[in-house]
Amino acid sequence: MVTESPETEQQLKFERGEPWWAKSLKWGLILLSITILFYAATVLAEAGHWLFVVITAFVAMGVLIVYATRRCVPFKYLYPGILLTLALQIWPIVYTVGMSFTNYGYGHLVSKEEAIQAIEASSVRQVEGSQRYGLAVAIPEGQDPATGEIVFLLTSPDGSINAGSLDGLEPVDPESVQTSERGRITEADGYTVLTGSQVNARSVELSEFAVPTESGGIKMIGLSEAFIGEATRVYDASSDTIQDKVTGQVFVVKDARFVPRDGVGSGLPQGWVENVGFDNYTRALTDPQLRTGFVNVIVWNFVFAFLSVITTFLLGMFLALLLNDPRLKGKAVYRSLLILPYALPGYITALVWGSMYNRDFGLINELFHLNINWLGDGTLAKIAILITNLWLGFPYMFIVCTGALQAIPSDVREAAAIDGASAFRTVRSIIMPLLLVAVGPLLIASFAFNFNNFGLIFLLTGGGPFEGGQSMIGSTDLLITMAYRLAIGGTTPNFGFAGAISVFIFIIVAVISYLGFRQTSALEDVN
Amino acid sequence: MTDFQPSAMLQAETKIGSGHQSKGGLLRSQYNTGVWWRHLLALLALAFALFPIVFIVSSAFNNAGTLSTSGLLPSAPGVRNFEKLFNDPIRPFWTWMRNSILICGLGSIFTVLLGAAAAYAFSRLRWQGRRVGLLAILLIQMFPAILGFAAIYLTFAKVGELFPGVGLNTLGGLILVYLGGAMGANIWLLKGYFDTVPKELDEAAKVDGASHARIFFTLTLRLVAPILATVGMLAFVGLWGEFLLASIFLTNVDSQTLAVGLWQTRNADQDRLFGQFVAGALIASVPVVLLYLALQRQLIGGLTQGSVK
């Protein structure tokens, strides 16, 4: 592959030492990364994330040790890759596993202290003579108006300005804000002031929102005013309860929330994150609502991956055998055209096939004069998915098998022919085993890929149809699409449960990969 | 393929290829029967492979522009779908195209750099922990980043509050996520190729006084250029079609990639916007399809080796 051409010989004549520009580039890059890391550390320190400040310092020290000295040569090539792997491969795995042992999710997003604070603040009622503020609702600059962290910009009667968030009040320099003629804040450095319609869009959230103060909180009243009031619900640390001073109701802790002690009425919406041990894992297998659905998902997940591999392999191998004839003209054209389905971006395939299966306007019903609700029935949707994946995947198997077939020495076949083996026998007993040895590891890799083929299922059926009143588990759901719906897809995310499903997948993938690697001897190759 | 074609093989394929064909008399007449039946079956396979693609092309050039009027032949040929696509104020196609090109371009360049650097360390340098390092990379590769999607989403939601430049809805953040697996993704493919470059070249350069960095940048990288091109294209094609992480990350219409934007276009109205969607899909497919056709051998070879090794 590599020949020693005269050109290569020339490259070997090196001058001693580094050229000046290489040296300055190197030190420039070191300086740049230290500067960026220093900036990151100051931002983190300001926000009070001291652990991350320390980590940043270690990263910066690593840069200096690895790049500013002549030692650690291998690490000069690995350091950025290792950092990225640690931050974006290892950390998400650790985080996911950690999350799977908690109840992290809708209504359980904050710590207990923050939950209590929020409960107290949202129970604030106006009392006689309570102070009023001018109010502008804002979010920190750069955040999305629909989801950004709410900040109250409050103008006191004496003209001083404060920014109130869930963390409390913070004074704002009056010079940094612009006010309208009527004294309303219209712009402020570092914040985006929300418009009337943006505020209205978040009115439910705002009605619960309060800036915590010592004896209560500051709440919004109307669009441009806020009042400071007293909390009617107060936490008592000694008994770990919350008491409502107006109704006298007492709330006790249950399942990381406060619920009425007498069992009458509903619990308070503000819950907190709590360790729940293996609850998420046992829930999947014991909860009567989930159990059947979950087992079905696992079974279908395996069936889908298995049938996808088998069907694509069989069709691909068949076509490879078919076109593997030296007398056949136009092989190159056939091959180029047969590869097209594989070349198309996967999301386009899934979306277009999804439209082709449409009952009323879809191409498939139209072509074959059918009126089948392909994606509306569990079994048909599964068939539709397998057909689509066959279309998507057979070109790959075709190309791979073609390569493997061409590598099988012809004397093997000759020997079989001389021994009088029948045609079918030759393929079954000679060609197939040799082919399987060559492509076996690829079949396992393909299985592992299809096991988590999120894009195809999500874009084609969305996991649906949802039959028998199920809203959480669809007929064509894979574990990963189910985890997606639990974590991000719906309005009430349950990150803990989604994390547990991801861990299930981790384990299954690890077993498959282990079997795959035992096949390939890749592990012994490392030298 | 050798020029010798044993008749048994022919028979075997016949038998497999069309079970109903009689075995008797084949040996005698094989030259006369020729290969027409192979063409016939291949054409059937082509029909299966191509009809959705014909559907895409003809729907894209169908002026009626709805799913109900789309078929294998355009009912009213024209380019109105493309006009609608380019002039839709709430679905900025060219912005998506730019985002996709930026993400895939930068993503694949960095993937190549990180991969090549790692392969150099594992292939050319000898150091303690090399074997353990390689095995660790292999192990980590078993767990695709998409399994940690919820963790990534939550992490970047927090990161974005402090560093808006790499939070959710930023191209920088998404590129970072994609680079998480870049070092290991193609390590076997790259290392295998690096190993084929004779070590003597390095040693000669070293004797001449070249530093390791100089050898890497001026000698090794040039010699392994073909595999770098292959890895770069694999990364580009892979990122071009990536959907899950992009859809979680990019919720603002102006920061979306083609994958997310086109998905939302079709979902907004399955029937009415179908023409516009499919026109966009056609444009989005052209670059990667051309790449595949031009480089089928390297790409498929790369895929094969990457997973086997």
Side-chain angles (χ1 to χ4, degrees):
Chain A
M1 202 164 288
V2 178
T3 49
E4 293 207 31
S5 63
E7 196 196 319
T8 323
E9 296 276 346
Q10 283 236 299
Q11 287 166 12
L12 295 182
K13 294 192 184 105
F14 288 98
E15 293 161 33
R16 295 218 164 244
E18 306 282 329
W20 63 269
W21 59 265
K23 256 189 192 149
S24 35
L25 186 68
K26 173 182 151 184
W27 285 103
L29 282 173
I30 293 177
L31 203 67
L32 183 69
S33 23
I34 297 291
T35 315
I36 291 173
L37 288 168
F38 182 76
Y39 163 75
T42 53
V43 173
L44 287 166
E46 218 169 280
H49 298 299
W50 293 105
L51 177 67
F52 290 98
V53 175
V54 173
I55 292 175
T56 313
F58 272 106
V59 170
M61 236 152 64
V63 170
L64 288 177
I65 292 171
V66 171
Y67 292 105
T69 67
R70 291 190 169 277
R71 305 161 49 163
C72 312
V73 173
F75 281 95
K76 292 189 206 297
Y77 294 91
L78 295 171
Y79 194 60
I82 290 175
L83 287 182
L84 284 167
T85 306
L86 282 177
L88 298 161
Q89 292 269 102
I90 309 281
W91 164 247
I93 294 175
V94 173
Y95 194 0
T96 305
V97 174
M99 214 155 57
S100 72
F101 293 104
T102 70
N103 61 355
Y104 194 43
Y106 181 74
H108 300 273
L109 291 164
V110 294
S111 69
K112 189 171 177 183
E113 289 75 46
E114 288 170 294
I116 290 167
Q117 224 171 36
I119 289 168
E120 289 183 341
S122 70
S123 73
V124 166
R125 295 287 173 273
Q126 208 168 348
V127 288
E128 195 126 337
S130 64
Q131 197 183 349
R132 292 280 181 115
Y133 295 98
L135 167 72
V137 181
I139 53 166
E141 206 164 51
Q143 294 192 13
D144 185 359
T147 56
E149 189 191 335
I150 293 171
V151 177
F152 280 178
L153 295 174
L154 302 159
T155 319
S156 307
D158 62 11
S160 69
I161 297 171
N162 283 286
S165 66
L166 280 178
D167 302 327
L169 286 173
E170 215 177 284
V172 172
D173 181 7
E175 299 290 312
S176 70
V177 301
Q178 306 224 337
T179 49
S180 68
E181 281 165 28
R182 283 180 299 164
R184 230 191 128 209
I185 295 173
T186 51
E187 270 175 55
D189 291 353
Y191 299 100
T192 312
V193 176
L194 298 187
T195 64
S197 59
Q198 283 167 340
V199 170
N200 269 334
R202 299 180 72 170
S203 57
V204 177
E205 199 183 337
L206 279 164
S207 70
E208 288 288 315
F209 181 85
V211 180
T213 59
E214 264 170 45
S215 62
I218 300 169
K219 282 194 79 164
M220 180 174 179
I221 177 166
L223 261 181
S224 57
E225 252 191 321
F227 65 88
I228 182 161
E230 273 181 24
T232 54
R233 286 173 180 159
V234 183
Y235 178 66
D236 176 34
S238 60
S239 60
D240 197 19
T241 56
I242 279 187
Q243 192 176 15
D244 193 314
K245 288 196 279 190
V246 178
T247 62
Q249 213 175 8
V250 176
F251 296 88
V252 294
V253 172
K254 193 185 171 221
D255 289 340
R257 278 172 67 188
F258 283 107
V259 296
R261 183 159 61 189
D262 49 17
V264 180
S266 56
L268 303 176
Q270 298 93 338
W272 55 91
V273 182
E274 195 177 63
N275 207 326
V276 295
F278 282 92
D279 272 12
N280 287 321
Y281 294 89
T282 49
R283 200 180 134 207
L285 298 169
T286 55
D287 185 322
Q289 258 202 316
L290 285 172
R291 195 176 48 210
T292 20
F294 189 69
V295 170
N296 285 345
V297 169
I298 293 182
V299 170
W300 159 242
N301 207 152
F302 274 99
V303 168
F304 162 72
F306 184 75
L307 286 182
S308 292
V309 174
I310 292 295
T311 51
T312 54
F313 173 68
L314 285 181
L315 183 57
M317 183 187 69
F318 167 71
L319 289 173
L321 286 168
L322 186 73
L323 293 181
N324 194 26
D325 182 335
R327 295 174 302 159
L328 195 69
K329 291 211 171 69
K331 267 184 296 209
V333 177
Y334 282 130
R335 281 180 189 156
S336 296
L337 289 174
L338 282 174
I339 200 186
L340 281 178
Y342 190 67
L344 225 56
Y347 66 90
I348 289 177
T349 303
L351 288 172
V352 169
W353 275 83
S355 294
M356 295 203 307
Y357 286 121
N358 188 297
R359 178 183 196 162
D360 303 319
F361 320 117
L363 180 70
I364 303 215
N365 279 351
E366 197 184 303
L367 270 187
F368 300 103
H369 300 290
L370 300 168
N371 185 23
I372 294 176
N373 193 4
W374 285 97
L375 303 182
D377 175 87
T379 315
L380 287 173
K382 284 173 181 168
I383 294 172
I385 284 171
L386 287 171
I387 293 175
T388 309
N389 214 17
L390 172 65
W391 185 81
L392 185 68
F394 85 86
Y396 173 70
M397 294 295 183
F398 162 65
I399 302 275
V400 163
C401 286
T402 301
L405 273 182
Q406 291 177 349
I408 294 177
S410 55
D411 50 359
V412 178
R413 293 177 191 151
E414 278 172 62
I418 290 166
D419 284 352
S422 76
F424 182 71
R425 188 71 200 265
T426 315
V427 165
R428 213 199 56 192
S429 309
I430 311 276
I431 311 278
M432 278 281 275
L434 287 173
L435 201 63
L436 277 175
V437 168
V439 302
L442 291 177
L443 298 186
I444 293 173
S446 166
F447 184 90
F449 170 79
N450 277 308
F451 198 83
N452 289 316
N453 198 339
F454 174 86
L456 179 74
I457 305 283
F458 181 77
L459 295 175
L460 193 56
T461 66
F466 295 88
E467 291 172 318
Q470 267 287 7
S471 62
M472 233 159 85
I473 300 177
S475 307
T476 58
D477 255 332
L478 299 182
L479 286 167
I480 184 131
T481 56
M482 186 182 153
Y484 177 91
R485 187 170 317 110
L486 284 169
I488 292 169
T491 46
T492 55
N494 188 340
F495 296 112
F497 192 41
I501 294 175
S502 291
V503 173
F504 270 120
I505 308 177
F506 280 148
I507 295 168
I508 294 169
V509 169
V511 171
I512 297 167
S513 308
Y514 171 73
L515 295 176
F517 283 117
R518 252 196 3 189
Q519 288 267 318
T520 60
S521 76
L523 292 173
E524 291 131 46
D525 267 2
V526 179
N527 54 37
Chain B
M1 194 77 215
T2 51
D3 46 0
F4 176 72
Q5 177 74 36
S7 54
M9 181 59 203
L10 256 185
Q11 273 186 312
E13 286 173 19
T14 313
K15 190 80 179 180
I16 283 271
S18 51
H20 54 270
Q21 196 149 0
S22 69
K23 192 182 134 200
L26 227 163
L27 268 174
R28 202 171 351 102
S29 61
Q30 61 175 248
Y31 250 86
N32 303 332
T33 48
V35 289
W36 64 268
W37 60 271
R38 284 178 193 265
H39 281 295
L40 190 73
L41 288 174
L43 284 174
L44 268 178
L46 273 191
F48 175 59
L50 295 186
F51 89 92
I53 293 172
V54 172
F55 175 64
I56 292 176
V57 175
S58 75
S59 313
F61 289 101
N62 178 17
N63 265 357
T66 61
L67 179 59
S68 45
T69 57
S70 297
L72 288 182
L73 287 172
S75 50
V79 293
R80 199 177 295 155
N81 286 330
F82 292 91
E83 284 165 14
K84 275 200 305 190
L85 179 72
F86 299 153
N87 297 313
D88 190 333
I90 54 167
R91 299 187 186 86
F93 181 76
W94 293 116
T95 310
W96 298 338
M97 177 65 98
R98 190 206 62 194
N99 292 340
S100 277
I101 291 175
L102 271 178
I103 288 177
C104 300
L106 289 173
S108 39
I109 289 171
F110 283 118
T111 300
V112 167
L113 282 177
L114 286 166
Y120 183 73
F122 284 116
S123 167
R124 315 309 270 181
L125 305 174
R126 286 289 171 271
W127 43 287
Q128 226 182 355
R130 200 177 66 98
R131 201 185 134 81
V132 176
L134 262 178
L135 290 178
I137 287 183
L138 194 68
L139 197 73
I140 295 163
Q141 286 310 307
M142 287 180 193
F143 304 102
I146 58 164
L147 288 184
F149 66 89
I152 290 176
Y153 171 77
L154 293 168
T155 304
F156 274 86
K158 290 218 176 74
V159 167
E161 288 173 15
L162 295 175
F163 307 101
V166 287
L168 297 177
N169 272 317
T170 64
L171 303 190
L174 187 58
I175 292 177
L176 266 184
V177 172
Y178 286 152
L179 290 182
M183 178 175 74
N186 301 293
I187 190 79
W188 297 99
L189 186 59
L190 285 163
K191 181 180 173 291
Y193 199 95
F194 274 61
D195 286 344
T196 65
V197 177
K199 260 210 139 94
E200 291 73 29
L201 292 177
D202 292 33
E203 275 151 23
K206 214 181 235 167
V207 171
D208 282 356
S211 67
H212 61 86
R214 192 126 181 235
I215 296 174
F216 175 65
F217 284 112
T218 62
L219 183 69
T220 314
L221 281 192
R222 267 190 226 178
L223 293 174
V224 299
I227 200 70
L228 298 187
T230 306
V231 167
M233 285 176 301
L234 282 175
F236 190 90
V237 171
L239 293 182
W240 194 260
E242 204 284 326
F243 176 78
L244 171 56
L245 292 172
S247 73
I248 292 173
F249 236 82
L250 311 172
T251 48
N252 276 357
V253 78
D254 281 322
S255 66
Q256 282 166 350
T257 59
L258 283 171
V260 186
L262 288 173
W263 167 59
Q264 294 196 337
T265 301
R266 198 205 62 154
N267 277 12
D269 192 327
Q270 281 244 28
D271 184 39
R272 203 170 51 78
L273 288 175
F274 184 73
Q276 193 175 330
F277 153 72
V278 88
L282 186 63
I283 299 178
S285 311
V286 168
V288 281
V289 168
L290 290 181
L291 211 58
Y292 262 101
L293 290 183
L295 305 148
Q296 354 178 335
R297 181 167 293 166
Q298 289 93 317
L299 282 175
I300 295 291
L303 288 174
T304 321
Q305 283 188 45
S307 15
V308 178
K309 266 278 177 175

